[in-house]
Amino acid sequence: MAGVGKGVIDFEDLLPMIANKLGGEGLINELCNGFQLLMDKDKGVITLDSLRNNSALLGLQDLKEDELVSMMREGDLDGDGALTQMEFCVLMFRLSPRLMEESWFLLEDALHQQLNNHDDASI
């Protein structure tokens, strides 16, 4: 999503780096900060206009209009034409396949540990 080229980090690579550096809670805080920067302050959601007007704050100024519209459409889970904070966070995870893959591994590991703990308690 962000620029591609020599020495430029793709967005897909950025989220996992943030997660590794800040941990899960730090990543969520950063996503919340990003939402705050992009949202329409009066409406409390990200609209196409607020995304268009504030995208440069997150280094997304090179996105074309059709990319902004596509991003809004993809993230707008309830079809109301705006992104809530939850929809924004879900979209950011969906835009980062590597982070989604890591999240699934963590979930599977946690479920496996919980099942093992439950089995041990049953003995």
Side-chain angles (χ1 to χ4, degrees), residues 81-97:
L83 300 181
T84 63
Q85 185 167 327
M86 182 61 71
E87 287 172 325
F88 174 75
C89 290
V90 168
L91 176 64
M92 293 300 99
F93 273 83
R94 287 176 58 203
L95 291 175
S96 178

Side-chain angles (χ1 to χ4, degrees), residues 54-73:
N54 299 321
S55 60
L57 295 172
L58 294 179
L60 303 174
Q61 65 274 5
D62 293 335
L63 289 177
K64 296 175 178 58
E65 181 70 13
D66 63 325
E67 293 173 311
L68 294 173
V69 170
S70 177
M71 185 175 171
M72 287 294 297
R73 192 174 296 132

